[in-house]
Amino acid sequence: MRRNDWTKILGWPGYTVFQQEIDEKAKTLKLWVRRKRGNRRLICSGCGARIAEPSDTTEREVRDLPWGEFRTTVVIELYRVRCPKCGLRIEKVEQLPSKAPFSKRFEEAVGEACESASARRVAQQFGLAQSTVRAIDLRYLERWNALRKKPVLRHLGVDEIFLGKSVKFVTVASNLESGEPLWFGHERKKETLDEFFRTELNARQRGRIEAACVDMWEPFKSSIQEWSPNCAIVYDKFHIMQHANKAVDEVRRAEFFRKGARMREIVKGKRWLLLTRWVHLSSDKRQHLNHLFALNRKLMKAYLLKESLERLWTYTYEGAMLRYLKSWTLQLRWQRLPAFEKLAHMLIDHVEGILNYCRVKVRFGVVEAINGNIKSLLRRGRGYKNLRYLLLKAQRMAVTKTEFLAFRKAA
Ligand SMILES: [Zn+2]
């Protein structure tokens, strides 16, 4: 093969192969490259300034994509430059994105593999340590994130997610329109969300937020009111329905569990049935529920109350929505269902944020879908002690996947 052919196959723009070494036994290929004669643009790797003259040369060896069965390394002749701002520095080279011993396209191949497989699998595939794969993947995602255009934030979602015993609660701020997480913060205090507004958005961006979809959680509400006073607070339907489900479960326990072993046996394992919406149940499951309701009228009432609360979000006019909510709470009279009375108080206390849904139709369920993605990443990956990495990974997932599984359920 002629020297020119080596250069063509390697295909590094501006670089020519001037020496090569093949080890057929070890299946390795080593190539030495230097700049082509016309390629004289020197850039400081510290600040990006153009430098006229090199000061001296040095060498770096990086792993590149394999050639057939041959594991390939490239030795690059590099210039050092004397930058007026940074002092003596290595020149910036397109194919060397970091100090790690890998070419840019090798890192890209690893990063792309990480999008559909676990770090453990990718490590096996490329013959790298798992920690190396994660470090490459993180740099790959950082480069992607630096170059992409970020969508405007108009509908903000705020939720918390439990990340296990060591990290505990993390607050997740997300863009409900693009369906991606924007930021993670430790704990779920007012200060947590304050930090998001202070460090991630400027005054103009804060002013552009039209609505925020949150749980009925005071610290988040007061942070939003302070930083983005024109933003409408909309209480998330899914969170409200979670409270309703909890109330049904409380009734189930009060009515069956505390009434002896026989009754307890009847209701055992029926929890999820009660938490599932009627329309999602098969006919034999409905029969199970009907059997349960025949034994206990209170439980039936609780289930119906939960089911009918869903209708609240079908209203478009505040007046009609408010009327429906009032008639719903009236049904609680004489029922002796303390769990639901508590829920009704909560809804009345937060009525403004419930009615706001008539003014701004935010996309419910997005926050849950994002949480679901984060949880599935955690299940697959482990190694997410680095929250920044987890965030970028979840963002990439949201942007590349056009449809989330949970979106369909929410619709
Ligand atoms: Zn410089």
Side-chain angles (χ1 to χ4, degrees):
M1 206 153 65
R2 289 180 313 163
R3 184 139 301 163
N4 203 13
D5 295 333
W6 289 102
T7 300
K8 274 186 198 156
I9 297 174
L10 179 72
W12 277 26
Y15 281 81
T16 179
V17 177
F18 66 92
Q19 195 185 321
Q20 69 277 341
E21 188 184 280
I22 300 175
D23 186 333
E24 280 187 86
K25 249 199 189 142
K27 295 270 184 232
T28 59
L29 169 67
K30 199 165 173 178
L31 302 167
W32 281 259
V33 303
R34 63 165 61 116
R35 281 169 176 268
K36 283 182 182 164
R37 214 165 291 142
N39 180 16
R40 305 254 335 147
R41 243 175 82 97
L42 288 174
I43 289 172
C44 166
S45 62
C47 65
R50 272 192 83 158
I51 311 289
E53 283 301 316
S55 102
D56 61 353
T57 59
T58 176
E59 253 185 19
R60 254 186 78 190
E61 190 173 332
V62 295
R63 194 162 155 199
D64 196 29
L65 297 177
W67 288 30
E69 290 178 322
F70 288 81
R71 182 178 165 143
T72 304
T73 50
V74 178
V75 182
I76 313 144
E77 190 182 281
L78 287 168
Y79 288 113
R80 288 204 295 178
V81 293
R82 199 169 290 284
C83 173
K85 237 168 99 188
C86 315
L88 197 61
R89 281 281 179 142
I90 298 274
E91 61 160 331
K92 190 180 168 207
V93 175
E94 179 65 23
Q95 273 300 331
L96 304 178
S98 77
K99 286 183 176 140
F102 307 105
S103 69
K104 187 179 174 210
R105 63 186 187 186
F106 180 82
E107 293 212 336
E108 246 138 56
V110 171
E112 272 161 33
C114 285
E115 287 185 16
S116 51
S118 68
R120 194 170 52 82
R121 281 278 310 277
V122 177
Q124 277 169 355
Q125 185 191 335
F126 285 86
L128 296 164
Q130 273 190 57
S131 57
T132 309
V133 167
R134 285 198 198 94
I136 292 176
D137 192 22
L138 177 58
R139 289 196 294 272
Y140 165 77
L141 293 167
E142 290 284 14
R143 285 198 290 275
W144 162 73
N145 190 51
L147 288 176
R148 75 185 175 120
K149 197 169 174 284
K150 286 167 194 96
V152 176
L153 176 62
R154 283 181 305 192
H155 293 177
L156 168 72
V158 182
D159 197 10
E160 73 246 359
I161 183 167
F162 186 71
L163 288 192
K165 277 175 210 149
S166 59
V167 187
K168 295 194 173 127
F169 279 101
V170 165
T171 295
V172 182
S174 48
N175 184 330
L176 297 180
E177 287 178 307
S178 67
E180 61 173 313
L182 300 172
W183 182 82
F184 289 161
H186 284 284
E187 298 182 80
R188 44 175 183 165
K189 298 184 288 195
K190 179 179 176 293
E191 291 77 24
T192 313
L193 198 54
D194 287 346
E195 196 192 327
F196 167 71
F197 283 117
R198 197 180 57 240
T199 62
E200 298 293 304
L201 306 173
N202 59 36
R204 201 166 134 259
Q205 288 170 316
R206 290 194 292 264
R208 269 172 143 178
I209 307 173
E210 292 163 13
C213 183
V214 292
D215 191 5
M216 295 174 286
W217 178 247
E218 271 323 292
F220 287 164
K221 183 185 160 193
S222 47
S223 176
I224 293 164
Q225 284 174 333
E226 184 184 323
W227 289 91
S228 188
N230 297 324
C231 156
I233 290 174
V234 183
Y235 291 118
D236 191 18
K237 175 188 167 184
F238 280 76
H239 280 120
I240 295 174
M241 289 314 295
Q242 259 172 22
H243 289 289
N245 273 324
K246 235 178 262 166
V248 173
D249 203 42
E250 262 176 59
V251 175
R252 178 186 72 112
R253 267 177 288 156
E255 292 301 306
F256 287 85
F257 268 62
R258 288 160 209 160
K259 286 182 181 163
R262 202 183 67 85
M263 288 297 261
R264 203 175 305 144
E265 210 48 50
I266 291 169
V267 81
K268 226 180 188 174
K270 303 273 163 63
R271 184 170 172 269
W272 76 268
L273 270 183
L274 287 161
L275 304 188
T276 307
R277 289 184 60 193
W278 190 257
V279 288
H280 295 147
L281 289 171
S282 63
S283 61
D284 63 315
K285 295 285 186 285
R286 287 178 182 176
Q287 205 115 59
H288 280 302
L289 270 192
N290 279 330
H291 175 67
L292 214 57
F293 295 155
L295 290 170
N296 189 291
R297 212 190 136 267
K298 265 195 184 180
L299 189 61
M300 177 169 84
K301 188 72 200 172
Y303 185 82
L304 293 176
L305 280 165
K306 186 221 14 163
E307 283 281 290
S308 59
L309 189 61
E310 289 260 358
R311 273 189 58 199
L312 195 55
W313 291 275
T314 60
Y315 290 95
T316 318
Y317 298 103
E318 280 170 55
M321 195 183 201
L322 184 61
R323 261 197 308 281
Y324 184 78
L325 182 61
K326 277 184 179 157
S327 74
W328 185 86
T329 55
L330 278 177
Q331 290 180 68
L332 298 175
R333 275 191 175 172
W334 326 120
Q335 298 293 342
R336 282 173 292 133
L337 291 167
F340 275 87
E341 276 157 34
K342 213 175 83 193
L343 175 65
H345 278 298
M346 193 182 214
L347 297 180
I348 297 299
D349 284 347
H350 295 86
V351 71
E352 200 53 34
I354 295 171
L355 298 180
N356 270 344
Y357 183 62
C358 295
R359 274 171 235 154
V360 200
K361 291 260 185 285
V362 294
R363 286 168 73 194
F364 288 140
V366 175
V367 159
E368 267 58 41
I370 289 169
N371 274 2
N373 279 352
I374 294 168
K375 278 178 186 155
S376 85
L377 279 171
L378 289 170
R379 264 196 309 276
R380 273 196 302 178
R382 285 171 194 172
Y384 288 110
K385 276 163 213 128
N386 182 347
L387 279 185
R388 172 78 187 157
Y389 183 29
L390 181 62
L391 176 66
L392 285 165
K393 203 82 187 148
Q395 286 178 334
R396 178 77 186 163
M397 206 171 168
V399 171
T400 50
K401 265 196 193 167
T402 42
E403 194 181 12
F404 293 0
L405 213 70
F407 269 0
R408 263 176 281 153
K409 254 205 244 156

